[in-house]
Amino acid sequence: VKVAIIGAGVSGLACALTLEKHGIVPDVFEQLHRPGGVTPSIQTILQVIHRPAEDPLRDLAGRFGITLTPINTVRKIVMISPNRVAAARGRLGYIFERGHSRTSLDCELYGRLSRARVRFNAGVGYQELAGEYDRVVVATGSPFLAMAAGRYHGILRTWARGAVVEGSFDPHALIVWFDKSYANNGFAYLAPFSARKASLILEASDLREEEVEPAWRRFLETEKLAYREEETFLREHNVGICCPRQTGNLLFVGLAAGLLDYTLGFGLYNAVVSGVVAARCIAGGSSYEAGIRDMLAKSYYTYLARLALNRMDNDDLDKMLEVVGQPWVNRLVYNTGLDVVNLLGAVLEHGQPGPLREQFRSPAT
Ligand SMILES: Cc1cc2nc3c(=O)[nH]c(=O)nc-3n(C[C@H](O)[C@H](O)[C@H](O)COP(=O)(O)OP(=O)(O)OC[C@H]3O[C@@H](n4cnc5c(N)ncnc54)[C@H](O)[C@@H]3O)c2cc1C
């Protein structure tokens, strides 16, 4: 089988690695000149989101055959609203480096390829490849090819304004801030590279570009943060669901398919899983849509949770943290196997299927 993969990000590389295991050598096209993109950052995989899996990394290794090496574990998450602070403690997740450094997730996956050919500086569209290859996997991390194919339903328009900052950090702790006055329908967070360096990001939704920098300044002032900023970035982050994700010889994976936790904007785990499932489908003829059915349902639930979060004002955010900070919540939610996302999603969906519900369903196979 002749396979092209567009994008050498997490989903594209997971797909390429799995194809290699099945004896298929794909051609990978990457628009940039090296793996890992331009800006280094920290990303996390949180345990609570990927239940019923007891441990998301063990799950990726065991069920999907992809081992990821985190730079650290998450043992504490501090959540801050205008008048409340709550903390969760336990085995909460994993911290990864993204970017072009040797220790980044992107370089780790890239380094494991043995026979796949990766062509850098090769930004391509699917039309030019569809005739030449038996299968084309769209792993571009963006909605543009799904838009071009008329399969895209927009959901989130956010701006990620961030910086690598220097200071003194707990390398196992994340800090998340919720405040409508600067994040609007979004939030801000700090995630550590190490005890001296961290990623500080404002993920502000539904703002115009010219409103983002003032929002960033307001965030720093409000939270009294005065770190030295290095490697700053501003990135528009448009995400939405692609439907269907498999037709003809095309398969959309990762963020290009809209497989995301829409509450937090997290999609690493989904990128790996969908890349692997797409490869297995190509190698063995199984249905891709059926293989990602549960993930799609979960993505939809996180979209409903995001809508609920968007409706809150700062008083509601304070009340939310008052509940989240209770010791029984810590015991019940963070240190158990309770599938919080599916439970909450089922409650939010009850009696009122949202307009996008169908887009998140796998067609019957
Ligand atoms: C600021 C920020 C913070 C985030 N934090 C987290 C987090 O903490 N946890 C988490 O799970 N997720 C997080 N995410 C989301 C996560 O980055 C994505 O879900 C994940 O990278 C998706 O993987 P992917 O393979 O779909 O796309 P990517 O990893 O983005 O890879 C896409 C690749 O395709 C290439 N490409 C694009 N178009 C073309 C083209 N036409 N031709 C050739 N190549 C092309 C790109 O250059 C890129 O290398 C964050 C995202 C952002 C923006």
Side-chain angles (χ1 to χ4, degrees):
V1 197
K2 228 179 142 200
V3 182
I5 299 172
I6 310 179
V10 178
S11 60
L13 293 172
C15 183
L17 284 165
T18 311
L19 285 170
E20 281 186 347
K21 284 185 197 158
H22 286 85
I24 298 170
V25 182
D27 288 334
V28 184
F29 297 85
E30 169 55 51
Q31 67 183 1
L32 300 175
H33 68 286
R34 61 183 169 191
V38 213
T39 330
S41 66
I42 287 297
Q43 299 195 354
T44 59
I45 293 184
L46 297 180
Q47 199 261 350
V48 69
I49 296 165
H50 303 294
R51 291 170 187 164
E54 202 180 302
D55 180 314
L57 289 205
R58 251 188 282 143
D59 190 45
L60 289 178
R63 283 200 299 145
F64 301 99
I66 301 281
T67 313
L68 306 180
T69 313
I71 58 165
N72 237 323
T73 51
V74 181
R75 294 200 203 129
K76 184 175 169 190
I77 304 177
V78 180
M79 292 159 271
I80 302 174
S81 67
N83 298 296
R84 288 278 180 280
V85 178
R89 289 183 179 78
R91 288 174 51 239
L92 303 176
Y94 298 95
I95 299 178
F96 296 91
E97 192 171 344
R98 298 291 310 269
H100 49 263
S101 97
R102 209 173 30 85
T103 43
S104 75
L105 183 56
D106 312 73
C107 290
E108 179 189 15
L109 293 175
Y110 174 68
R112 282 203 215 133
L113 289 176
S114 55
R115 296 171 63 211
R117 294 170 290 263
V118 182
R119 297 179 198 176
F120 290 104
N121 294 314
V124 290
Y126 62 84
Q127 297 92 338
E128 60 210 87
L129 302 175
E132 195 188 328
Y133 287 87
D134 300 312
R135 294 297 183 99
V136 178
V137 179
V138 180
T140 52
S142 79
F144 300 118
L145 296 189
M147 271 178 194
R151 304 166 178 215
Y152 175 74
H153 304 265
I155 291 179
L156 264 187
R157 289 176 66 95
T158 68
W159 290 94
R161 165 66 167 95
V164 175
V165 293
E166 282 183 1
S168 179
F169 309 105
D170 174 349
H172 297 282
L174 308 180
I175 306 175
V176 189
W177 291 270
F178 298 97
D179 189 327
K180 295 272 166 175
S181 71
Y182 52 76
N184 199 27
N185 292 332
F187 55 93
Y189 63 98
L190 182 137
F193 285 86
S194 65
R196 315 286 325 153
K197 205 166 94 168
S199 219
L200 184 64
I201 295 177
L202 172 66
E203 178 99 23
S205 296
D206 306 319
L207 290 186
R208 292 194 305 276
E209 184 171 1
E210 62 274 21
E211 294 173 318
V212 181
E213 201 53 35
W216 172 259
R217 295 282 146 226
R218 264 199 319 282
F219 160 52
L220 298 179
E221 273 166 36
T222 310
E223 306 304 344
K224 300 184 178 47
L225 305 176
Y227 298 118
R228 200 159 77 84
E229 290 180 32
E230 292 177 358
E231 311 213 42
T232 62
F233 68 87
L234 173 65
R235 200 181 309 156
E236 195 175 10
H237 199 208
N238 286 337
V239 281
I241 184 75
C242 166
C243 181
R245 283 120 323 235
Q246 175 184 15
T247 45
N249 64 352
L250 274 186
L251 293 110
F252 287 76
V253 298
L255 215 49
L259 291 164
L260 186 71
D261 165 355
Y262 286 90
T263 313
L264 296 172
F266 286 5
L268 276 184
Y269 175 93
N270 292 356
V272 174
V273 173
S274 59
V276 172
V277 173
R280 288 178 179 170
C281 154
I282 292 168
S286 55
S287 159
Y288 174 57
E289 288 280 354
I292 58 169
R293 181 171 293 139
D294 292 349
M295 217 160 50
L296 279 167
K298 201 160 237 184
S299 289
Y300 180 67
Y301 287 159
T302 59
Y303 155 66
L304 294 181
R306 178 79 178 221
L307 291 182
L309 207 56
N310 288 354
R311 284 193 291 271
M312 292 185 180
D313 60 19
N314 274 352
D315 287 343
D316 298 325
L317 291 171
D318 283 339
K319 283 181 201 138
M320 179 179 82
L321 287 213
E322 205 174 315
V323 176
V324 169
Q326 299 291 327
W328 62 266
V329 175
N330 210 50
R331 280 198 303 274
L332 187 72
V333 173
Y334 293 107
N335 292 296
T336 61
L338 193 71
D339 193 344
V340 187
V341 177
N342 280 344
L343 277 172
L344 187 67
V347 172
L348 290 170
E349 191 183 23
H350 185 67
Q352 45 165 355
L356 286 179
R357 183 65 182 108
E358 284 311 309
Q359 315 298 329
F360 284 88
R361 265 192 235 282
S362 293
T365 46

